[in-house]
């Protein structure tokens, strides 16, 4: 019995120096040596990443807000405009009817099969319907009986009708002409991304605004990020943030699309925030239409773990163009939660909550001497 007691005594004495030596090599993320003045000009081991540490303060929140407003002010004036009448272009099919003169109708309308009462199959009838009318050729010209070659490209329907009427007036007294676009084939936009029915959408007499295009595509899916809508026009990308536009008093329906525009609605999964460390539920979070505060990220992750988390060491790691930036929040300080609510996260940010020194110490010993620490402590408790 005495020998067993002596072994327990010496096991406690042997473990104590190891515990003291391991306190400086505990696992986890450490930023104790980084100060706000640290920069890439300081000496650092070759290949090591030395981020800049910035404490989250009211002054920092003000500067970050000003920077966000400057970055969000992309000039989209070229996209704004008023609805205009549809202009006929090459490829469009026109339906032209001269009242009391059926002989001037399109070739399929005056065709023999219909006149003879013959029944056509659906495929033939569809093809005849599509060919009925006058196609605007690549030069923007149509050929119409008596009127000859008419340049209609760039004209509205009313202007084209007046042109046909003027030409026919030389041969027909007081011609009454009805002209409309039968098939819109010259202009189209492409809708892609998180919409119900992506694909080509033809531009017709209804003004093709951004909201009209999204509506024709079946609307945005629940996974769509309304703050991440990209419009590509002639090689230039325009970033559209719908909630922000509405907040600024800009009607999204004033964004007019042009032929050849590509509209892409990004997914919320492309703008994630990663929360790790000593939180109740480490996870990847999706932003809410481009917005997520540090307070919300911690809340959706279950908050800081009360058993192992160090509330004074809450970090936000952000990748910048040059070097990583680490923001630090002391959640124990008065007003810290208010500052956390005002700190806006950016896509791909990493929120990390460090462990307490005691937790790091315990984990280190558990890795070096698995199962021995509890035995040594138990021996020390029994040796009195």
């Amino acid at each position: 019995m005495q020998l067993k007691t002596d072994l327990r005594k010496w096991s406690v004495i042997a473990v104590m120096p190891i515990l003291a030596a391991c306190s400086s090599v505990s696992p986890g993320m450490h930023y104790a040596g980084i100060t706000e003045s640290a920069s890439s000009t300081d000496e650092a081991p070759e290949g090591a990443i030395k981020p800049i540490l910035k404490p989250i303060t009211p002054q920092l929140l003000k500067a970050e807000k000003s920077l966000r407003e400057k970055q969000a002010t992309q000039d989209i004036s070229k996209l704004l405009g008023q609805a205009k009448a549809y202009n006929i272009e090459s490829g469009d099919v026109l339906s032209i009817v001269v009242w009391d003169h059926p002989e001037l109708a399109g070739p399929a309308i005056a065709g023999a099969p219909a006149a003879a009462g013959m029944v056509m199959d659906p495929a033939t009838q569809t093809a005849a319907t599509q060919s009925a009318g006058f196609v605007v050729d690549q030069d923007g010209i149509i050929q119409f009986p008596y009127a000859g070659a008419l340049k209609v490209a760039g004209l509205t329907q009313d202007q084209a009708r007046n042109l046909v009427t003027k030409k026919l007036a030389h041969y027909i007294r007081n011609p009454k002409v009805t002209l409309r676009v039968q098939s819109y084939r010259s202009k189209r936009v492409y809708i892609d991304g998180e919409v119900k029915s992506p694909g080509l959408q033809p531009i017709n007499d209804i003004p093709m605004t951004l909201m009209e295009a999204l509506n024709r595509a079946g609307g945005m899916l629940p996974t769509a990020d309304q703050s991440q809508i990209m419009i590509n026009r002639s090689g230039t990308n325009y970033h559209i943030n719908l909630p922000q536009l509405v907040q600024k008093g800009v009607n999204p329906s004033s964004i007019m699309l042009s032929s050849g525009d590509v509209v892409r609605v990004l997914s919320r999964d492309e703008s994630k925030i990663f929360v790790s460390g000593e939180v109740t539920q480490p996870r990847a979070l999706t932003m809410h239409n481009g917005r997520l505060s540090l307070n919300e990220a911690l809340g959706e992750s279950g908050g800081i773990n009360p058993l192992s988390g160090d509330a004074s060491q809450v970090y936000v790691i952000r990748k910048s163009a040059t070097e990583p930036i680490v923001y630090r929040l002391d959640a124990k300080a008065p007003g810290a939660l208010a500052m956390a609510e005002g700190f806006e996260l950016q896509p791909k940010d990493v929120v990390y909550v460090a462990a307490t020194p005691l937790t790091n110490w315990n984990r280190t010993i558990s890795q070096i001497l698995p199962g021995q620490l509890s035995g040594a402590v138990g021996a020390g408790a029994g040796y009195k």
Side-chain angles (χ1 to χ4, degrees), residues 96 133-137 141-152:
I96 305 176
F134 299 88
V135 181
V136 182
D137 63 16
I141 296 175
I142 61 171
Q143 300 288 339
F144 194 79
Y146 296 131
L150 299 177
K151 180 78 172 183
V152 295

Side-chain angles (χ1 to χ4, degrees), residues 336-359:
L337 296 181
M339 288 190 292
E341 181 62 27
F343 187 85
E344 296 284 345
L345 298 176
Q346 294 183 8
K348 308 302 180 183
D349 277 356
V350 177
V351 178
Y352 179 83
V353 180
T356 61
L358 180 59
T359 301

Side-chain angles (χ1 to χ4, degrees), residues 104-335:
L104 301 181
I109 297 178
M118 297 179 61
V119 178
M120 295 183 290
D121 62 282
T124 304
Q125 186 175 5
T126 301
T129 303
Q130 293 178 349
S131 62
F134 299 88
V135 181
V136 182
D137 63 16
Q138 66 275 11
D139 296 323
I141 296 175
I142 61 171
Q143 300 288 339
F144 194 79
Y146 296 131
L150 299 177
K151 180 78 172 183
V152 295
L155 302 180
T156 64
Q157 297 185 69
D158 290 340
Q159 292 172 339
R161 177 179 56 80
N162 293 335
L163 178 61
V164 174
T165 301
K166 181 179 178 181
K167 293 294 184 179
L168 291 180
H170 297 288
Y171 308 96
I172 302 175
R173 179 179 296 180
N174 297 327
K176 294 180 176 57
V177 179
T178 299
L179 183 147
R180 64 180 181 86
V181 179
Q182 179 174 294
S183 180
Y184 297 89
R185 304 191 307 181
S186 62
K187 305 173 186 178
R188 59 190 66 188
V189 298
Y190 185 77
I191 315 296
D192 189 23
E194 300 301 306
V195 292
K196 187 175 182 180
S197 303
L200 290 172
Q201 296 292 337
I203 299 178
N204 53 25
D205 56 333
I206 300 177
M208 181 63 81
T209 65
L210 174 60
M211 303 308 296
E212 176 68 20
L214 295 175
N215 182 62
R216 292 188 191 181
M220 289 183 284
L221 298 175
T223 56
D225 188 348
Q226 297 186 19
S227 68
Q228 296 286 340
I229 300 177
M230 307 302 296
I231 299 178
N232 182 279
R233 175 175 296 177
S234 302
T236 303
N237 286 322
Y238 296 91
H239 175 219
I240 305 299
N241 187 328
L242 287 184
Q244 189 178 75
L245 285 181
V246 174
Q247 185 178 5
K248 291 182 177 180
V250 180
N251 188 349
S253 296
S254 61
I255 299 178
M256 304 297 300
L257 300 182
S258 300
S259 181
D261 285 354
V262 178
V263 180
R264 185 168 186 266
V265 182
L266 302 185
S267 172
R268 293 174 56 193
D269 291 337
E270 299 184 33
S271 303
K272 283 191 174 183
I273 303 297
F274 305 96
V275 184
S276 62
E278 303 305 316
V279 292
T280 305
Q281 296 177 343
R283 56 190 301 189
L285 303 175
T286 56
M287 304 184 75
H288 308 300
N289 291 327
R291 184 191 176 278
L292 189 69
S293 67
L294 176 57
N295 205 22
E296 291 173 330
L298 293 174
E300 293 188 23
S301 300
I304 301 174
N305 192 324
L307 301 178
S308 60
D310 188 352
S312 65
Q313 297 190 70
V314 179
Y315 300 98
V316 177
I317 299 93
R318 178 173 299 168
K319 182 181 179 181
S320 63
T322 55
E323 55 193 355
I325 301 177
V326 178
Y327 300 91
R328 179 177 180 271
L329 174 69
D330 183 2
K332 292 182 179 179

Side-chain angles (χ1 to χ4, degrees), residues 1-14 379:
M1 180 64 67
Q2 181 64 29
L3 177 61
K4 185 175 182 181
T5 303
D6 292 341
L7 289 176
R8 289 182 177 179
K9 174 181 177 181
W10 286 109
S11 65
V12 175
I13 298 175

